[in-house]
Amino acid sequence: MEPTATADFGFQEVPRGEKTARVRGVFDSVASRYDLMNDLMSGGLHRLWKDALITWLRPRREMHLLDLAGGTGDIAFRFLHGGGGRATVTDINREMLAVGRVRAARRRLAGEIDWLCANGEALPMPDASVDAVTCAFGIRNMTEKERALADIRRVLKPGGRFLCLEFSRLALPGWEEVYEAYSFGVVPRLGRYVARDEEAYRYLAESIRTFPDQERFAAMLGEAGLGNVTWRNLSGGIAAMHSAWRI
Ligand code: SAM
């Protein structure tokens, strides 16, 4: 199917060629407060979700992980602490990676991580070069999600695994209104006072609503040629983890 001329940027439709730059602008603006905002917004839940992702992955010494849209390094740090061998963190945003480098140095993990500024829709990495790919809260921001998934499959070694952690569709009947009020009322306000950017956090809430639900995203993984697709809800579907393999 031919891509349309526009792409969703939260609830707005923007020219397709502009979306990536807009997303980059969002993360340029919030990079220095990004980790603090994650803790405040989720009440620390994002830490448990990221731990769950690594538990599901089961890192091993001989594993080379590509953490796509890895930002400030949370997944890579957990992978290495969990027994993983080597991590490459890629992100389109230099500011996020710069924060990540400082955090890695503090954790004495600088030597085990490569930081690569790249667009996840066109990874500058050889075919079949990594054992696992993770992507936490990143794919939702990409313009050409199908292209990114195809590239993930391409860089995975046969038998390699992709694990994706992303906001998803709430599966707790009766909690929709509370969740809606929190996402569109509290989160942008926190963004205004803590990260000095209300719009960035309104975009977050909107982009969650426009991202495919659990079933649809599982179907997209299959359409990208990945196999054995399964998923698990976290915190009642606020987030979900999808697992898929290059077979
Ligand atoms: N994975 C990190 C985490 O869980 O804390 C960061 C997630 S943050 C919500 C989303 C990240 O996706 C940002 O660092 C942003 O720069 C990155 N990103 C957005 N579009 C991207 C693209 N096309 N290619 C690579 N990274 C992208």
Side-chain angles (χ1 to χ4, degrees):
M1 206 171 34
E2 278 296 297
T4 55
T6 60
D8 58 281
F9 177 73
F11 289 166
Q12 297 174 51
E13 285 294 313
V14 298
R16 186 162 282 276
E18 284 179 17
K19 172 167 169 166
T20 304
R22 287 201 182 212
V23 170
R24 197 185 284 126
V26 165
F27 290 99
D28 271 340
S29 160
V30 304
S32 63
R33 296 292 174 104
Y34 174 78
D35 295 301
L36 173 64
M37 273 299 291
N38 273 354
D39 279 335
L40 291 176
M41 272 187 312
S42 73
L45 271 180
H46 77 105
R47 294 172 181 255
L48 303 181
W49 299 337
K50 287 168 178 166
D51 289 347
L53 185 83
I54 296 301
T55 302
W56 208 11
L57 178 62
R58 282 191 275 119
R60 294 186 309 278
R61 199 72 212 142
E62 67 278 11
M63 224 185 222
H64 178 190
L65 172 74
L66 167 66
D67 183 35
L68 183 58
T72 59
D74 269 3
I75 297 294
F77 302 154
R78 282 170 170 75
F79 169 76
L80 294 168
H81 281 136
R86 175 131 214 103
T88 301
V89 177
T90 69
D91 198 285
I92 202 165
N93 190 295
R94 286 185 200 284
E95 304 294 323
M96 294 288 279
L97 293 174
V99 174
R101 276 202 187 90
V102 172
R103 295 177 80 211
R106 272 197 219 118
R107 289 168 169 74
R108 303 190 190 288
L109 290 173
E112 287 150 83
I113 305 179
D114 297 311
W115 303 87
L116 178 66
C117 189
N119 187 340
E121 296 158 26
L123 289 170
M125 297 186 68
D127 296 357
S129 55
V130 295
D131 303 291
V133 177
T134 48
C135 185
F137 308 110
I139 193 95
R140 175 173 39 86
N141 297 295
M142 296 192 194
T143 312
E144 311 295 346
K145 296 175 181 56
E146 289 80 2
R147 200 182 292 165
L149 294 176
D151 230 20
I152 288 167
R153 183 183 176 282
R154 180 185 67 76
V155 300
L156 273 174
K157 293 178 187 168
R161 187 179 191 191
F162 173 48
L163 278 177
C164 185
L165 170 60
E166 194 45 273
F167 290 108
S168 203
R169 216 53 95 242
L170 195 68
L172 290 175
W175 283 87
E176 293 85 356
E177 272 183 36
V178 177
Y179 183 54
E180 204 70 2
Y182 187 75
S183 326
F184 286 97
V186 178
V187 168
R189 221 159 288 162
L190 271 176
R192 186 197 317 165
Y193 293 116
V194 179
R196 307 255 176 273
D197 191 339
E198 182 168 349
E199 278 315 304
Y201 284 88
R202 195 177 312 286
Y203 159 76
L204 167 69
E206 293 179 359
S207 67
I208 292 170
R209 294 307 177 281
T210 53
F211 187 69
D213 65 16
Q214 290 86 334
E215 285 86 0
R216 177 66 202 125
F217 188 60
M220 285 171 68
L221 291 168
E223 287 156 15
L226 292 158
N228 295 339
V229 179
T230 51
W231 52 270
R232 297 175 181 178
N233 276 340
L234 294 162
S235 304
I238 295 177
M241 300 189 290
H242 283 73
S243 165
W245 300 77
R246 176 166 185 183
I247 45 179

